[in-house]
Amino acid sequence: MPVKILMVCLGNICRSPLAEGILASKLPQDKFTVDSAGTGSWHIGHAPDKRSIEVAQKNGLCIDGQKGRQFKNSDFDEFDYIYVMDNSNYRDIIHLAKTSEHKTKVHLILNELFPDENVDVPDPYYGSTNGFDNVYQMLDEVADIIAQKLIEKHS
Ligand code: 4NP
């Protein structure tokens, strides 16, 4: 059974598709699966934002096959680790969790890089392309740490 990791943001078109693609590229596919979802429903079935696709491409990753979906309650059972991009996503997902086991699966992603600082991955949706580069660099850095931890823990 592979270890399953879910990346969550608001729209599932900017940050979490990048987080999914970046982490998946750092983990062996036979042992880990990575997916992403949004807390909101606006972009169900949509491809990632063009700017996310472009920044991924620039860094050698293809994420254009991904399709937006909304987080659902069964994800708490389906996934072993749920990484959320910001504090608002954290509140929304924790609010949906019905058991302490579900709650313990939810982690604010940048706390893996800056423990207990509760730093957000900023939402680049309304900003410039520069925002997407910034988000990419942050996610790439934290994904290295997460991948290393997961590989150590599950090998
Ligand atoms: P994301 O960015 O949460 O990183 O995917 C957003 C994308 C779309 C919207 C909000 C945030 N929206 O309101 O449509």
Side-chain angles (χ1 to χ4, degrees):
M1 278 280 279
V3 177
K4 300 185 79 176
I5 302 116
L6 184 67
M7 299 297 191
V8 175
C9 64
L10 177 60
N12 192 210
I13 55 165
C14 296
R15 292 166 293 175
S16 60
L18 281 174
E20 173 187 335
I22 293 168
L23 185 64
S25 76
K26 297 179 192 285
L27 290 171
Q29 275 182 25
D30 57 331
K31 295 205 176 83
F32 298 91
T33 61
V34 189
D35 191 10
S36 64
T39 57
S41 59
W42 312 283
H43 299 289
I44 294 171
H46 297 182
D49 188 284
K50 205 166 116 280
R51 296 163 294 175
S52 283
I53 292 177
E54 279 169 5
V55 78
Q57 214 160 37
K58 215 163 68 175
N59 287 279
L61 282 185
C62 176
I63 62 163
D64 62 9
Q66 293 185 30
K67 287 257 179 305
R69 74 167 178 91
Q70 189 170 23
F71 182 87
K72 51 186 190 293
N73 239 280
S74 56
D75 288 328
F76 284 119
D77 292 317
E78 180 80 13
F79 290 88
D80 303 294
Y81 299 89
I82 299 170
Y83 289 105
V84 298
M85 300 298 124
D86 66 29
N87 282 275
S88 142
N89 308 147
Y90 186 84
R91 284 190 294 273
D92 289 342
I93 297 297
I94 286 291
H95 187 69
L96 294 173
K98 293 199 172 67
T99 66
S100 56
E101 193 200 339
H102 288 172
K103 286 184 185 154
T104 59
K105 292 185 179 185
V106 186
H107 311 275
L108 188 60
I109 193 164
L110 288 184
N111 276 353
E112 303 295 317
L113 188 59
F114 309 115
D116 304 320
E117 290 190 26
N118 298 336
V119 178
D120 288 342
V121 177
D123 189 343
Y125 186 59
Y126 294 106
S128 61
T129 316
N130 189 23
F132 284 77
D133 280 311
N134 183 34
V135 162
Y136 192 96
Q137 293 314 319
M138 281 181 186
L139 290 174
D140 192 50
E141 202 177 333
V142 74
D144 276 334
I145 294 171
I146 293 171
Q148 198 181 353
K149 266 171 89 164
L150 289 175
I151 289 167
E152 265 172 32
K153 187 155 183 211
H154 298 281
S155 59

